[in-house]
Amino acid sequence: MTAKVIDGKAFAANVRAQVAEHVARLKAEHGLTPGLAVVLVGEDPASKVYVKNKHASTIEVGMASFEHRLPAETSEAELLALIDKLNADPSVHGILVQLPLPGHLNSELVINRIDPAKDVDGFHISNVGLLGTGQKSMVPCTPLGCLMMLRDHHGKLAGLNAVVVGRSNIVGKPMAQLLLGDSCTVTIAHSRTKDLAEVCKRADILVAAVGRPEMITGDMVKPGATVIDVGINRIERDGKGKLVGDVHYDSAAAVAGAITPVPGGVGPMTIACLLANTLTACCRANGLAEPEGLTA
Ligand code: NDP
């Protein structure tokens, strides 16, 4: 079997187009422009690239983008004061603090200062609790993107066996909650899981969020399964830098029914879902119907 390739790039372009259409309608019918504020503290080169991309994508869909670049030595009090200001600003519907923060800043404290209704990353403890109890929340962008692709591929997910490898707060755990919300039978595997290959082989849906290049190989995949590769790993191969996932693509694609590539799979969905979340936050803040198909 050769797996169907789930094209995350095309899927994300479609999500962004849907968001842009909703944004245009919000402007025309309600005079509203969804606004996303991104806060970057320090000079981390990767974070700077992410923030630049987020700014460009936000503008592209017709939203307002508010960038706040603060020096690395910014104090916690200064950062919290900025978040308070953004929380109170009605033109800001989504707030994202780019992680990681410099070491002297307490990320948990900072994230939990964001108004949960504006927490478009879905990391605030209230949103974590709401998701865990099956209530309406802001959902972390990467797992939301995975869920959208899975729903599109499978239609209904109910009753399928899903295995999520990885239990981080930003990917593994919320992914598992979302799959449970769609009535999958969910197993979460991690570094202490015994016989990982056997556990993975039971999965109709296998999500890899490990951070270990090409760790999930074809012999760990059930024939016909859907494989979602969240991993982004930079490796050296044949003297060149290369981006690979947590899944060994060639061997897994030979067995799976469908698979996301790296790059061009889950990655592009993350920013698309950030925009979708900002739109959702704007609709909720104004008592308007949420955009269909763009939320969990
Ligand atoms: P973390 O490092 O926070 O979590 C990794 C998880 O993998 C942990 O739960 C860990 O288990 C588990 N793990 C590590 N080694 C093994 C092993 N040998 N067998 C089974 N499980 C193992 O990573 P993240 O969740 O933040 O990210 C995971 C990957 O996804 C990374 O490659 C990251 O770059 C990528 N990513 C991609 C995004 C995108 O936009 N596409 C967004 C976010 C992340 P334990 O808890 O026991 O230590």
Side-chain angles (χ1 to χ4, degrees):
M1 176 180 294
T2 303
K4 175 192 168 204
V5 180
I6 300 177
D7 184 346
K9 217 171 149 187
F11 203 101
N14 183 265
V15 169
R16 289 200 309 271
Q18 286 181 57
V19 170
E21 210 182 293
H22 277 277
V23 170
R25 220 176 307 138
L26 276 182
K27 276 186 195 173
E29 293 173 12
H30 302 279
L32 279 169
T33 302
L36 173 64
V38 176
V39 180
L40 173 65
V41 186
E43 300 291 326
D44 179 67
S47 293
K48 280 167 115 173
V49 173
Y50 294 143
V51 167
K52 195 172 147 220
N53 291 343
K54 283 168 187 169
H55 172 73
S57 307
T58 307
I59 298 292
E60 205 182 279
V61 294
M63 292 183 181
S65 170
F66 308 100
E67 257 188 55
H68 296 269
R69 289 168 181 262
L70 307 179
E73 59 278 9
T74 300
S75 71
E76 208 157 80
E78 286 169 319
L79 181 55
L80 293 177
L82 171 61
I83 291 173
D84 289 344
K85 208 173 112 198
L86 297 173
N87 281 341
D89 184 342
S91 63
V92 173
H93 303 96
I95 302 169
L96 181 149
V97 176
Q98 186 65 46
L99 299 176
L101 287 171
H104 67 285
L105 299 169
N106 178 341
S107 303
E108 247 173 56
L109 185 82
V110 170
I111 296 301
N112 288 328
R113 187 72 160 235
I114 298 172
D115 177 349
K118 297 189 179 189
D119 168 39
V120 280
D121 251 344
F123 295 161
H124 190 289
I125 194 71
S126 297
N127 282 316
V128 175
L130 289 168
L131 178 62
T133 50
Q135 298 179 69
K136 195 180 270 190
S137 64
M138 294 307 301
V139 176
C141 303
T142 301
L144 177 59
C146 297
L147 183 75
M148 283 182 188
M149 291 194 287
L150 284 166
R151 281 179 177 167
D152 180 70
H153 180 69
H154 284 275
K156 295 256 176 292
L157 304 180
L160 295 176
N161 282 330
V163 173
V164 180
V165 190
R167 56 174 163 180
S168 73
N169 290 334
I170 62 165
V171 189
K173 283 182 198 153
M175 185 74 251
Q177 295 286 6
L178 288 171
L179 291 165
L180 194 60
D182 271 25
S183 298
C184 290
T185 303
V186 182
T187 303
I188 306 177
H190 45 77
S191 67
R192 310 288 286 274
T193 296
K194 288 186 182 143
D195 202 349
L196 183 65
E198 189 271 328
V199 171
C200 290
K201 233 177 158 153
R202 280 188 252 141
D204 302 308
I205 292 171
L206 180 59
V207 181
V210 191
R212 292 185 181 260
E214 301 177 327
M215 194 193 90
I216 306 290
T217 46
D219 57 332
M220 300 164 82
V221 176
K222 177 178 172 178
T226 302
V227 178
I228 303 289
D229 189 354
V230 182
I232 302 177
N233 308 287
R234 271 167 226 287
I235 61 158
E236 281 278 320
R237 185 166 287 158
D238 306 326
K240 280 191 227 147
K242 191 173 190 278
L243 216 57
V244 299
D246 292 341
V247 175
H248 185 272
Y249 185 84
D250 288 345
S251 65
V255 185
I259 189 165
T260 58
V262 176
V266 174
M269 285 301 286
T270 299
I271 289 190
C273 287
L274 173 67
L275 302 173
N277 276 351
T278 305
L279 173 64
T280 300
C282 177
C283 292
R284 285 181 186 167
N286 290 282
L288 299 169
E290 289 174 21
E292 232 170 272
L294 297 176
T295 57

